[in-house]
């Protein structure tokens, strides 16, 4: 396994970031349509274009990012994943960031910050956010995972998916 900087396609253009983040948002909207928390994630191949997998949120423990990272680790070798990118709608929590780290995925892209999520969820019992930025988690590790985000150009679109969801008094989380 490599501990060096991930070899990624040339810096992702604003258009590429936007396209992948909006596709992750479409995954989040599908999760929402199934009554689940509206989070979505993609695994993008080393070419920066090919989407290898998509995952919506399952429940309050099986988040989109962690579930996708675990599945990726079962299906791809670590050296390949090191050159892949996990794209997600919101900044991943500490659990998801740790799973991305252990799955050996070399690049993480998120659209909206945890602070934006907290502004939406407040003290909602189904999403008690952790004030622990993903960059803080990865900098404590020994792998130089590249983190890109938030992406202000699409953050409002991603927030809109959540706008009314967290105002509902009771949800199953599924």
């Amino acid at each position: 396994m490599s501990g060096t900087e991930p070899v990624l396609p040339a810096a992702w253009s604003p258009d590429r970031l936007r396209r992948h983040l909006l596709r992750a948002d479409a995954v989040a909207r599908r999760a929402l349509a199934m009554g689940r928390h509206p989070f979505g994630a993609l695994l993008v191949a080393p070419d920066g274009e090919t989407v290898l997998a998509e995952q919506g949120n399952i429940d309050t423990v099986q988040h989109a990012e962690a579930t996708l990272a675990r599945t990726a680790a079962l299906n791809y070798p670590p050296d390949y994943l090191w050159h892949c990118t996990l794209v997600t709608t919101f900044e991943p929590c500490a659990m998801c960031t740790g799973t991305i780290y252990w799955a050996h995925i070399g690049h993480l892209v998120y659209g909206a910050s945890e602070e934006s999520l907290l502004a939406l969820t407040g003290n909602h019992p189904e999403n008690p956010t952790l004030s622990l930025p993903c960059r803080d988690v990865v900098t404590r590790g020994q792998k130089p995972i590249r983190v890109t985000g938030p992406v202000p150009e699409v953050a409002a679109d991603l927030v809109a998916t959540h706008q009314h969801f967290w105002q509902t008094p009771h949800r199953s989380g599924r």
Side-chain angles (χ1 to χ4, degrees):
M1 283 191 267
S2 173
T4 62
E5 188 69 25
V7 177
L8 301 166
W12 280 27
S13 68
D15 178 62
R16 181 178 288 171
L17 285 169
R18 184 177 193 289
R19 280 186 292 110
H20 285 313
L21 285 165
L22 291 178
R23 182 164 174 178
D25 190 50
V27 174
R29 289 176 186 269
R30 284 198 309 267
L32 177 63
M34 292 187 287
R36 297 176 176 165
H37 295 171
F39 297 99
L42 312 173
L43 181 66
V44 180
D47 67 6
E49 290 297 330
T50 306
V51 175
L52 300 170
E54 298 180 337
Q55 181 66 55
N57 226 56
I58 297 171
D59 57 35
T60 57
V61 176
Q62 298 175 89
H63 296 179
E65 303 91 342
T67 301
L68 182 60
R70 281 187 209 97
T71 301
L74 289 171
N75 289 287
Y76 298 100
D79 288 340
Y80 181 76
L81 288 174
W82 187 244
H83 303 290
C84 292
T85 302
L86 190 141
V87 177
T88 185
T89 51
F90 277 81
E91 182 173 4
C93 71
M95 173 184 70
C96 292
T97 303
T99 307
I100 292 163
Y101 176 88
W102 289 110
H104 206 61
I105 297 170
H107 186 205
L108 166 63
V109 171
Y110 67 90
S113 68
E114 187 276 333
E115 291 88 4
S116 298
L117 182 60
L118 179 59
L120 291 165
T121 63
N123 65 352
H124 198 288
E126 290 182 19
N127 198 47
T129 63
L130 291 168
S131 182
L132 182 56
C134 66
R135 281 181 176 85
D136 289 356
V137 175
V138 298
T139 58
R140 299 295 181 115
Q142 298 176 14
K143 301 175 192 179
I145 294 173
R146 184 172 148 198
V147 178
T148 303
V151 180
E153 298 80 11
V154 295
D157 293 323
L158 306 175
V159 166
T161 299
H162 289 252
Q163 200 63 48
H164 300 290
F165 182 83
W166 299 104
Q167 296 170 6
T168 304
H170 179 70
R171 296 224 178 247
S172 69
R174 294 183 159 205

